[in-house]
Amino acid sequence: MNTTAFTLFLIIVGLTLVITYIASKRTKTTSDFYTADGSLTGWQNGLAIAGDYMSAASFLGIAGMIALSGFDGFFYSIGFLVAYLVVLYIVAEPLRNLGKYTMADMIAARFKEKNVRGVAALNTITISIFYMIAQLVGAGALIKLLLGLDYMYSVLIVGVLMTVYVVFGGMMATSWVQIVKALLLMGGTVVISIMVFAKFDFNPIKMFEHMKTATPLGAGFLNPGNKFTNPLDTISLNLALVLGTAGLPHILTRFFTVKDAITARKSVVYATWIIGVFYVMTVFLGFGAASFVGFDKIVAANAAGNMAAPLLAEALGGEFFFAFISAVAFATILAVVAGLVLSAASAFAHDFYSHILRHGKATEREQVVAARWASIGVSILSIILALFAQKMNVAFLVALAFAVAASANLPIILFTIFWKRFNTSGAVTGMIVGLASSLILVAIGPNVWSPEVGKAILVGKPLFSLGNPGIVSIPLGFIAAYLGTVLSSKKEDVRKFDEILVKANTGL
């Protein structure tokens, strides 16, 4: 066991538990639990958004993907970064003006039917669990490497901690854990990037020339096609990454933690700058790992490359720096999974329990109790699923969650805000088709089926050849929402759309 790493892990856990204890004293009402009562400032929420978004997939997965696959790994950095522009210019302000606690609130502001809210909540829970599996897989690999604990126990430790944060501290604890994590992650990444760049005399041309001979891929390291040999797969991946963020429930709910749309917009600007700088630095992490750790050592530690960043820290700064960066990665995972648990639990307690089962008549105390029990249930389900996904690259798993979000949620959000004729039938049809098509295509695709033993979950020939379903499932989500509307005999009140349009743009 790495004693230094273990000590730093304990410090991180202790700090987050203190935050949770303080937050628990201020978490009394449903508004406190779901949205920290809208009390965060623009910069605080910007840091929390960045902390929520810069996940284990980014820090561990992308660094490993670039180190092992070169340019193809950088697709993830570009996609995650560009995605925030869609959020900034299209979704953030209308969502804050129309919603209250969950994404379903925003859709229900126009369509009052319970089936719309129910399907939206189902989408939120599904996407959150998909995303959470990726974080738990990264956590399991990290703790196993550092502390020598079995993968199963590692996942259980993270699972228990994320449940504690949410059950006792709600959104306030989750937000401040994410703020602390964002500061630690940015600090650690800046230091590694400077150390890597210094090895090349701060000369980017020298660094790129070196990479042509530093890996088994040779000069091909800097060209696309090392991992994604099918152009359609590359397009599909990037569609999912760019459009998926605007449909991710745990990102969308962060806009309800500020007092108004102006503050929400400011927080997105802060987050975009922080996230932008971070993703540029993933190039240094990937190049540095490929150069100073080496292909064989990265693969030996984890076949998917998830340990590339901590191993790079060890190569550059020795055991203590290795332990520090690993602790930062650990904090990263804790912060993201807490946000995901809260998002899924809010959808269950607020949308299913309070609005559908109790017809909006649940008391404040009953809603908070339901949300806390839902947090426990979501955590248990995610932990069980993560135990079967140990060998998958975490960046890939997150990309799948993005595909589901872009297919099932984004069409409904955009049509709700911008299409006057859009109706309940279109909303329900679009969400169901988007969700079902993306899940089915993943289930029959090459990540689940492979003729080679050990390459996928099951042995057999995949029926769908693309690794990411986005290029098919995203258009299907839009088409289904359109056809569901135009083929339905039900007409929505035009005056309601005018009211929504004014409220989405002004908050009045």
Side-chain angles (χ1 to χ4, degrees), residues 39 45 61 92 125 155 181 189 206 223 271 298 310 313 375 388 426 496 499:
S39 61
N45 200 42
I125 295 171
V155 170
K181 162 272 179 90
T189 307
K206 185 177 179 181
N223 298 320
I298 294 171
S375 304
F388 293 96
K496 186 66 179 177
E499 177 188 327

mmCIF file with all atom_site columns, all heavy atoms in Angstrom, residues 39 45 61 92 125 155 181 189 206 223 271 298 310 313 375 388 426 496 499:
data_model
loop_
_atom_site.group_PDB
_atom_site.id
_atom_site.type_symbol
_atom_site.label_atom_id
_atom_site.label_alt_id
_atom_site.label_comp_id
_atom_site.label_asym_id
_atom_site.label_entity_id
_atom_site.label_seq_id
_atom_site.pdbx_PDB_ins_code
_atom_site.Cartn_x
_atom_site.Cartn_y
_atom_site.Cartn_z
_atom_site.occupancy
_atom_site.B_iso_or_equiv
_atom_site.pdbx_formal_charge
_atom_site.auth_seq_id
_atom_site.auth_comp_id
_atom_site.auth_asym_id
_atom_site.auth_atom_id
_atom_site.pdbx_PDB_model_num
ATOM 1   N N   . SER A 1 39  ? -28.556 29.808 -3.785  1.00 0.00 ? 39  SER A N   1
ATOM 2   C CA  . SER A 1 39  ? -27.727 30.773 -3.052  1.00 0.00 ? 39  SER A CA  1
ATOM 3   C C   . SER A 1 39  ? -26.322 30.951 -3.618  1.00 0.00 ? 39  SER A C   1
ATOM 4   O O   . SER A 1 39  ? -25.555 31.781 -3.123  1.00 0.00 ? 39  SER A O   1
ATOM 5   C CB  . SER A 1 39  ? -27.616 30.328 -1.584  1.00 0.00 ? 39  SER A CB  1
ATOM 6   O OG  . SER A 1 39  ? -27.000 29.039 -1.503  1.00 0.00 ? 39  SER A OG  1
ATOM 7   N N   . ASN A 1 45  ? -20.843 29.015 -8.769  1.00 0.00 ? 45  ASN A N   1
ATOM 8   C CA  . ASN A 1 45  ? -21.519 28.027 -9.598  1.00 0.00 ? 45  ASN A CA  1
ATOM 9   C C   . ASN A 1 45  ? -20.675 27.663 -10.821 1.00 0.00 ? 45  ASN A C   1
ATOM 10  O O   . ASN A 1 45  ? -20.700 26.512 -11.278 1.00 0.00 ? 45  ASN A O   1
ATOM 11  C CB  . ASN A 1 45  ? -22.886 28.557 -10.046 1.00 0.00 ? 45  ASN A CB  1
ATOM 12  C CG  . ASN A 1 45  ? -23.818 27.440 -10.479 1.00 0.00 ? 45  ASN A CG  1
ATOM 13  O OD1 . ASN A 1 45  ? -23.874 26.391 -9.840  1.00 0.00 ? 45  ASN A OD1 1
ATOM 14  N ND2 . ASN A 1 45  ? -24.519 27.638 -11.578 1.00 0.00 ? 45  ASN A ND2 1
ATOM 15  N N   . GLY A 1 61  ? -9.409  9.255  -18.251 1.00 0.00 ? 61  GLY A N   1
ATOM 16  C CA  . GLY A 1 61  ? -9.723  8.613  -19.523 1.00 0.00 ? 61  GLY A CA  1
ATOM 17  C C   . GLY A 1 61  ? -9.081  9.286  -20.727 1.00 0.00 ? 61  GLY A C   1
ATOM 18  O O   . GLY A 1 61  ? -8.463  8.624  -21.560 1.00 0.00 ? 61  GLY A O   1
ATOM 19  N N   . ALA A 1 92  ? -28.860 27.382 -21.356 1.00 0.00 ? 92  ALA A N   1
ATOM 20  C CA  . ALA A 1 92  ? -28.705 27.828 -19.964 1.00 0.00 ? 92  ALA A CA  1
ATOM 21  C C   . ALA A 1 92  ? -29.799 28.784 -19.500 1.00 0.00 ? 92  ALA A C   1
ATOM 22  O O   . ALA A 1 92  ? -30.468 28.551 -18.488 1.00 0.00 ? 92  ALA A O   1
ATOM 23  C CB  . ALA A 1 92  ? -27.329 28.465 -19.776 1.00 0.00 ? 92  ALA A CB  1
ATOM 24  N N   . ILE A 1 125 ? -32.776 9.568  -14.785 1.00 0.00 ? 125 ILE A N   1
ATOM 25  C CA  . ILE A 1 125 ? -32.218 8.489  -13.966 1.00 0.00 ? 125 ILE A CA  1
ATOM 26  C C   . ILE A 1 125 ? -31.317 7.580  -14.804 1.00 0.00 ? 125 ILE A C   1
ATOM 27  O O   . ILE A 1 125 ? -30.207 7.207  -14.383 1.00 0.00 ? 125 ILE A O   1
ATOM 28  C CB  . ILE A 1 125 ? -33.361 7.687  -13.309 1.00 0.00 ? 125 ILE A CB  1
ATOM 29  C CG1 . ILE A 1 125 ? -34.115 8.580  -12.316 1.00 0.00 ? 125 ILE A CG1 1
ATOM 30  C CG2 . ILE A 1 125 ? -32.825 6.436  -12.610 1.00 0.00 ? 125 ILE A CG2 1
ATOM 31  C CD1 . ILE A 1 125 ? -35.394 7.962  -11.779 1.00 0.00 ? 125 ILE A CD1 1
ATOM 32  N N   . VAL A 1 155 ? -14.871 0.212  -5.272  1.00 0.00 ? 155 VAL A N   1
ATOM 33  C CA  . VAL A 1 155 ? -16.134 0.783  -5.743  1.00 0.00 ? 155 VAL A CA  1
ATOM 34  C C   . VAL A 1 155 ? -17.096 0.994  -4.571  1.00 0.00 ? 155 VAL A C   1
ATOM 35  O O   . VAL A 1 155 ? -17.798 2.017  -4.493  1.00 0.00 ? 155 VAL A O   1
ATOM 36  C CB  . VAL A 1 155 ? -16.772 -0.140 -6.807  1.00 0.00 ? 155 VAL A CB  1
ATOM 37  C CG1 . VAL A 1 155 ? -18.186 0.302  -7.143  1.00 0.00 ? 155 VAL A CG1 1
ATOM 38  C CG2 . VAL A 1 155 ? -15.917 -0.153 -8.074  1.00 0.00 ? 155 VAL A CG2 1
ATOM 39  N N   . LYS A 1 181 ? -12.850 20.428 -5.435  1.00 0.00 ? 181 LYS A N   1
ATOM 40  C CA  . LYS A 1 181 ? -12.275 19.500 -6.425  1.00 0.00 ? 181 LYS A CA  1
ATOM 41  C C   . LYS A 1 181 ? -11.781 20.236 -7.668  1.00 0.00 ? 181 LYS A C   1
ATOM 42  O O   . LYS A 1 181 ? -10.702 19.946 -8.210  1.00 0.00 ? 181 LYS A O   1
ATOM 43  C CB  . LYS A 1 181 ? -13.317 18.452 -6.792  1.00 0.00 ? 181 LYS A CB  1
ATOM 44  C CG  . LYS A 1 181 ? -13.076 17.692 -8.085  1.00 0.00 ? 181 LYS A CG  1
ATOM 45  C CD  . LYS A 1 181 ? -13.679 18.416 -9.261  1.00 0.00 ? 181 LYS A CD  1
ATOM 46  C CE  . LYS A 1 181 ? -13.479 17.780 -10.604 1.00 0.00 ? 181 LYS A CE  1
ATOM 47  N NZ  . LYS A 1 181 ? -14.519 16.870 -10.952 1.00 0.00 ? 181 LYS A NZ  1
ATOM 48  N N   . THR A 1 189 ? -3.294  19.854 -12.613 1.00 0.00 ? 189 THR A N   1
ATOM 49  C CA  . THR A 1 189 ? -3.116  19.744 -14.065 1.00 0.00 ? 189 THR A CA  1
ATOM 50  C C   . THR A 1 189 ? -2.168  20.821 -14.596 1.00 0.00 ? 189 THR A C   1
ATOM 51  O O   . THR A 1 189 ? -1.349  20.559 -15.487 1.00 0.00 ? 189 THR A O   1
ATOM 52  C CB  . THR A 1 189 ? -4.487  19.858 -14.776 1.00 0.00 ? 189 THR A CB  1
ATOM 53  O OG1 . THR A 1 189 ? -5.379  18.911 -14.197 1.00 0.00 ? 189 THR A OG1 1
ATOM 54  C CG2 . THR A 1 189 ? -4.356  19.561 -16.251 1.00 0.00 ? 189 THR A CG2 1
ATOM 55  N N   . LYS A 1 206 ? 9.039   21.435 -30.926 1.00 0.00 ? 206 LYS A N   1
ATOM 56  C CA  . LYS A 1 206 ? 9.923   20.371 -30.448 1.00 0.00 ? 206 LYS A CA  1
ATOM 57  C C   . LYS A 1 206 ? 9.105   19.227 -29.835 1.00 0.00 ? 206 LYS A C   1
ATOM 58  O O   . LYS A 1 206 ? 9.418   18.045 -30.028 1.00 0.00 ? 206 LYS A O   1
ATOM 59  C CB  . LYS A 1 206 ? 10.894  20.938 -29.407 1.00 0.00 ? 206 LYS A CB  1
ATOM 60  C CG  . LYS A 1 206 ? 11.939  19.957 -28.923 1.00 0.00 ? 206 LYS A CG  1
ATOM 61  C CD  . LYS A 1 206 ? 12.904  20.638 -27.957 1.00 0.00 ? 206 LYS A CD  1
ATOM 62  C CE  . LYS A 1 206 ? 13.958  19.638 -27.450 1.00 0.00 ? 206 LYS A CE  1
ATOM 63  N NZ  . LYS A 1 206 ? 14.894  20.292 -26.495 1.00 0.00 ? 206 LYS A NZ  1
ATOM 64  N N   . ASN A 1 223 ? -1.825  11.718 -36.204 1.00 0.00 ? 223 ASN A N   1
ATOM 65  C CA  . ASN A 1 223 ? -2.876  11.690 -37.231 1.00 0.00 ? 223 ASN A CA  1
ATOM 66  C C   . ASN A 1 223 ? -4.108  10.923 -36.733 1.00 0.00 ? 223 ASN A C   1
ATOM 67  O O   . ASN A 1 223 ? -3.983  10.017 -35.901 1.00 0.00 ? 223 ASN A O   1
ATOM 68  C CB  . ASN A 1 223 ? -2.354  11.026 -38.505 1.00 0.00 ? 223 ASN A CB  1
ATOM 69  C CG  . ASN A 1 223 ? -1.192  11.793 -39.105 1.00 0.00 ? 223 ASN A CG  1
ATOM 70  O OD1 . ASN A 1 223 ? -1.206  13.022 -39.128 1.00 0.00 ? 223 ASN A OD1 1
ATOM 71  N ND2 . ASN A 1 223 ? -0.183  11.068 -39.569 1.00 0.00 ? 223 ASN A ND2 1
ATOM 72  N N   . ALA A 1 271 ? -17.432 28.861 -16.160 1.00 0.00 ? 271 ALA A N   1
ATOM 73  C CA  . ALA A 1 271 ? -17.192 27.427 -16.352 1.00 0.00 ? 271 ALA A CA  1
ATOM 74  C C   . ALA A 1 271 ? -16.530 27.159 -17.701 1.00 0.00 ? 271 ALA A C   1
ATOM 75  O O   . ALA A 1 271 ? -15.622 26.324 -17.803 1.00 0.00 ? 271 ALA A O   1
ATOM 76  C CB  . ALA A 1 271 ? -18.515 26.664 -16.258 1.00 0.00 ? 271 ALA A CB  1
ATOM 77  N N   . ILE A 1 298 ? 1.846   1.929  -19.232 1.00 0.00 ? 298 ILE A N   1
ATOM 78  C CA  . ILE A 1 298 ? 0.459   2.422  -19.101 1.00 0.00 ? 298 ILE A CA  1
ATOM 79  C C   . ILE A 1 298 ? -0.519  1.260  -19.238 1.00 0.00 ? 298 ILE A C   1
ATOM 80  O O   . ILE A 1 298 ? -1.449  1.105  -18.438 1.00 0.00 ? 298 ILE A O   1
ATOM 81  C CB  . ILE A 1 298 ? 0.162   3.497  -20.176 1.00 0.00 ? 298 ILE A CB  1
ATOM 82  C CG1 . ILE A 1 298 ? 1.000   4.739  -19.932 1.00 0.00 ? 298 ILE A CG1 1
ATOM 83  C CG2 . ILE A 1 298 ? -1.325  3.863  -20.175 1.00 0.00 ? 298 ILE A CG2 1
ATOM 84  C CD1 . ILE A 1 298 ? 0.926   5.753  -21.063 1.00 0.00 ? 298 ILE A CD1 1
ATOM 85  N N   . PRO A 1 310 ? -1.856  9.616  -13.368 1.00 0.00 ? 310 PRO A N   1
ATOM 86  C CA  . PRO A 1 310 ? -1.098  9.388  -12.132 1.00 0.00 ? 310 PRO A CA  1
ATOM 87  C C   . PRO A 1 310 ? 0.308   8.845  -12.393 1.00 0.00 ? 310 PRO A C   1
ATOM 88  O O   . PRO A 1 310 ? 1.273   9.242  -11.704 1.00 0.00 ? 310 PRO A O   1
ATOM 89  C CB  . PRO A 1 310 ? -1.962  8.355  -11.372 1.00 0.00 ? 310 PRO A CB  1
ATOM 90  C CG  . PRO A 1 310 ? -3.334  8.570  -11.891 1.00 0.00 ? 310 PRO A CG  1
ATOM 91  C CD  . PRO A 1 310 ? -3.159  8.929  -13.334 1.00 0.00 ? 310 PRO A CD  1
ATOM 92  N N   . ALA A 1 313 ? 2.548   11.659 -13.341 1.00 0.00 ? 313 ALA A N   1
ATOM 93  C CA  . ALA A 1 313 ? 2.943   12.439 -12.160 1.00 0.00 ? 313 ALA A CA  1
ATOM 94  C C   . ALA A 1 313 ? 4.092   11.753 -11.425 1.00 0.00 ? 313 ALA A C   1
ATOM 95  O O   . ALA A 1 313 ? 5.029   12.408 -10.958 1.00 0.00 ? 313 ALA A O   1
ATOM 96  C CB  . ALA A 1 313 ? 1.737   12.599 -11.228 1.00 0.00 ? 313 ALA A CB  1
ATOM 97  N N   . SER A 1 375 ? -31.608 8.512  -3.094  1.00 0.00 ? 375 SER A N   1
ATOM 98  C CA  . SER A 1 375 ? -30.146 8.591  -3.233  1.00 0.00 ? 375 SER A CA  1
ATOM 99  C C   . SER A 1 375 ? -29.505 7.247  -2.904  1.00 0.00 ? 375 SER A C   1
ATOM 100 O O   . SER A 1 375 ? -28.583 6.788  -3.604  1.00 0.00 ? 375 SER A O   1
ATOM 101 C CB  . SER A 1 375 ? -29.587 9.666  -2.293  1.00 0.00 ? 375 SER A CB  1
ATOM 102 O OG  . SER A 1 375 ? -30.197 10.901 -2.536  1.00 0.00 ? 375 SER A OG  1
ATOM 103 N N   . PHE A 1 388 ? -19.636 -4.807 -13.145 1.00 0.00 ? 388 PHE A N   1
ATOM 104 C CA  . PHE A 1 388 ? -19.571 -5.571 -14.399 1.00 0.00 ? 388 PHE A CA  1
ATOM 105 C C   . PHE A 1 388 ? -18.867 -4.794 -15.517 1.00 0.00 ? 388 PHE A C   1
ATOM 106 O O   . PHE A 1 388 ? -18.763 -5.287 -16.628 1.00 0.00 ? 388 PHE A O   1
ATOM 107 C CB  . PHE A 1 388 ? -20.982 -5.939 -14.866 1.00 0.00 ? 388 PHE A CB  1
ATOM 108 C CG  . PHE A 1 388 ? -21.677 -6.900 -13.955 1.00 0.00 ? 388 PHE A CG  1
ATOM 109 C CD1 . PHE A 1 388 ? -22.543 -6.452 -12.976 1.00 0.00 ? 388 PHE A CD1 1
ATOM 110 C CD2 . PHE A 1 388 ? -21.442 -8.263 -14.057 1.00 0.00 ? 388 PHE A CD2 1
ATOM 111 C CE1 . PHE A 1 388 ? -23.184 -7.335 -12.120 1.00 0.00 ? 388 PHE A CE1 1
ATOM 112 C CE2 . PHE A 1 388 ? -22.066 -9.159 -13.207 1.00 0.00 ? 388 PHE A CE2 1
ATOM 113 C CZ  . PHE A 1 388 ? -22.941 -8.700 -12.234 1.00 0.00 ? 388 PHE A CZ  1
ATOM 114 N N   . GLY A 1 426 ? -45.627 14.541 -29.091 1.00 0.00 ? 426 GLY A N   1
ATOM 115 C CA  . GLY A 1 426 ? -44.286 14.652 -29.650 1.00 0.00 ? 426 GLY A CA  1
ATOM 116 C C   . GLY A 1 426 ? -43.219 14.559 -28.576 1.00 0.00 ? 426 GLY A C   1
ATOM 117 O O   . GLY A 1 426 ? -42.166 13.930 -28.772 1.00 0.00 ? 426 GLY A O   1
ATOM 118 N N   . LYS A 1 496 ? -50.174 29.324 -24.653 1.00 0.00 ? 496 LYS A N   1
ATOM 119 C CA  . LYS A 1 496 ? -49.219 28.769 -23.690 1.00 0.00 ? 496 LYS A CA  1
ATOM 120 C C   . LYS A 1 496 ? -47.794 28.869 -24.214 1.00 0.00 ? 496 LYS A C   1
ATOM 121 O O   . LYS A 1 496 ? -46.868 29.162 -23.464 1.00 0.00 ? 496 LYS A O   1
ATOM 122 C CB  . LYS A 1 496 ? -49.574 27.300 -23.415 1.00 0.00 ? 496 LYS A CB  1
ATOM 123 C CG  . LYS A 1 496 ? -48.729 26.661 -22.313 1.00 0.00 ? 496 LYS A CG  1
ATOM 124 C CD  . LYS A 1 496 ? -48.992 27.290 -20.975 1.00 0.00 ? 496 LYS A CD  1
ATOM 125 C CE  . LYS A 1 496 ? -48.178 26.656 -19.872 1.00 0.00 ? 496 LYS A CE  1
ATOM 126 N NZ  . LYS A 1 496 ? -48.373 27.320 -18.584 1.00 0.00 ? 496 LYS A NZ  1
ATOM 127 N N   . GLU A 1 499 ? -46.583 32.362 -23.856 1.00 0.00 ? 499 GLU A N   1
ATOM 128 C CA  . GLU A 1 499 ? -46.234 32.614 -22.444 1.00 0.00 ? 499 GLU A CA  1
ATOM 129 C C   . GLU A 1 499 ? -44.862 32.015 -22.119 1.00 0.00 ? 499 GLU A C   1
ATOM 130 O O   . GLU A 1 499 ? -44.037 32.656 -21.460 1.00 0.00 ? 499 GLU A O   1
ATOM 131 C CB  . GLU A 1 499 ? -47.316 31.977 -21.561 1.00 0.00 ? 499 GLU A CB  1
ATOM 132 C CG  . GLU A 1 499 ? -47.046 32.101 -20.078 1.00 0.00 ? 499 GLU A CG  1
ATOM 133 C CD  . GLU A 1 499 ? -48.047 31.279 -19.273 1.00 0.00 ? 499 GLU A CD  1
ATOM 134 O OE1 . GLU A 1 499 ? -49.203 31.161 -19.704 1.00 0.00 ? 499 GLU A OE1 1
ATOM 135 O OE2 . GLU A 1 499 ? -47.650 30.725 -18.231 1.00 0.00 ? 499 GLU A OE2 1
#
